[in-house]
Amino acid sequence: MVDQPLEELLHDAERVLADSGVWSPREDAEALAAHVLGLGETAPEPRLPVPPAAADALRALVARRADRIPLGHLTGRARLGGIDLTVNEHVFVPRFPTELLLSWGLFAVEKTEAPVVVDLCTGSGAVALAVGHARPDAAVHAVDLDENALACARGNAAARARAGDTPITVHRGDVTDPALLADLDGRVDLVLANPPYVPLGTRLLPEWGEHHPRTAVFGGADGLDVIRAVIDCAARLLRPGAALAIEHGDAQIDVVPVLLDATGRFSSTEGHHDQENRPRYTTTFRKAVA
């Protein structure tokens, strides 16, 4: 058997993925090729000769992607805030829109020395670790309830610490628990959350509806169960003037501000859109104690 030009493999892979409904067939084909060939973030050279074993491995991964398994679950990698992370089928794969939530949060504490930051519903730990990478002086706490997600987050935290980032603290905890992180009550400068927010029964693309853990996607009958708990938790944890950002679904950009206002504890609430101009996250600040 002889080597095959990568361009031929990419052409075939792109066709298979397009036929299966994958929305970015060429990009995914190239990402899978880079993974198989050990190229990391380097774009694969189309003229590169690919040995038969590697070509077979690529075809096998393309077939799994054609089954709509998320790209990150196939490569085992994701990227957020300039850092690489390990992901698996037990966690939500970080998405590009969350970069904006992260950027807003970092700007909110830009002038705060040694900020205390809490990432609720941390999953893989992506947001918490990106904050820790950007702000070595921060004390970052990451919270999740799911043991599989916690294992992933702790593995990523250990890897980032080995790479030189300031270690974060990963907690097993339920955001609905009124005693969660009670020792931080009134001391936190920033709370970030990308909670499960899809209403039960919503039809989703297979990547999210079938191949992500349900607890990381669905947030009760109206999608707001966990968001309500996040708001209550943040109201307790945040010091006066501190910031909160919550990622959510498109339709919830009108609902989340109402929930925040109902607490009487937040002000300067604002909805934000993502890179595709879709409603994506809401920000607010903790009022001073009356």
Side-chain angles (χ1 to χ4, degrees):
M1 299 182 69
V2 298
D3 293 354
Q4 185 174 355
L6 179 58
E7 180 56 40
E8 292 182 8
L9 292 167
L10 290 174
H11 177 77
D12 291 343
E14 182 179 3
R15 175 182 52 78
V16 170
L17 295 179
D19 288 347
S20 72
V22 170
W23 58 88
S24 54
R26 180 69 183 197
E27 291 86 347
D28 284 16
E30 291 180 350
L32 291 172
H35 172 68
V36 167
L37 299 172
L39 299 177
E41 295 295 312
T42 303
E45 167 55 50
R47 293 174 295 180
L48 185 71
V50 180
D56 289 343
L58 176 57
R59 292 189 189 96
L61 283 178
V62 168
R64 296 184 68 198
R65 182 69 187 100
D67 285 337
R68 308 302 292 273
I69 296 173
L71 181 65
H73 289 166
L74 296 175
T75 64
R77 307 297 302 172
R79 190 170 179 83
L80 186 76
I83 61 173
D84 290 316
L85 302 148
T86 296
V87 294
N88 56 43
E89 68 274 16
H90 300 298
V91 295
F92 193 89
V93 179
R95 299 171 61 228
F96 189 51
T98 305
E99 294 278 3
L100 297 179
L101 176 106
L102 171 65
S103 295
W104 186 93
L106 290 173
F107 180 77
V109 295
E110 185 177 32
K111 297 180 180 179
T112 304
E113 294 185 10
V116 178
V117 181
V118 173
D119 174 28
L120 298 173
C121 309
T122 195
S124 66
V127 171
L129 290 166
V131 172
H133 177 71
R135 289 294 303 268
D137 62 327
V140 182
H141 301 265
V143 180
D144 209 288
L145 180 62
D146 184 81
E147 290 291 355
N148 290 316
L150 288 167
C152 183
R154 287 173 178 140
N156 281 322
R160 292 311 310 167
R162 289 193 297 271
D165 286 354
T166 302
I168 71 168
T169 304
V170 179
H171 304 263
R172 184 186 186 280
D174 187 341
V175 71
T176 66
D177 180 1
L180 176 66
L181 302 181
D183 57 326
L184 295 179
D185 282 0
R187 297 173 47 207
V188 175
D189 299 293
L190 172 66
V191 171
L192 299 172
N194 183 10
Y197 54 71
V198 178
L200 287 169
T202 302
R203 294 189 64 180
L204 300 172
L205 293 173
E207 284 82 352
W208 290 282
E210 299 175 16
H211 297 294
H212 268 89
R214 291 182 62 82
T215 54
V217 175
F218 295 100
D222 61 1
L224 295 167
D225 284 1
V226 184
I227 287 178
R228 292 187 183 94
V230 164
I231 291 171
D232 289 343
C233 182
R236 174 173 53 82
L237 292 176
L238 291 170
R239 62 167 177 78
L244 166 64
I246 305 172
E247 189 164 329
H248 51 65
D250 296 18
Q252 293 163 340
I253 199 163
D254 294 323
V255 180
V256 173
V258 174
L259 297 176
L260 288 163
D261 184 63
T263 69
R265 299 179 182 181
F266 296 97
S267 62
S268 302
T269 300
E270 183 179 1
H272 303 262
H273 290 64
D274 62 19
Q275 297 91 332
E276 297 178 335
N277 201 34
R278 300 178 65 176
R280 186 55 60 219
Y281 66 105
T282 293
T283 60
T284 191
F285 294 87
R286 181 70 163 85
K287 287 182 179 179
V289 177

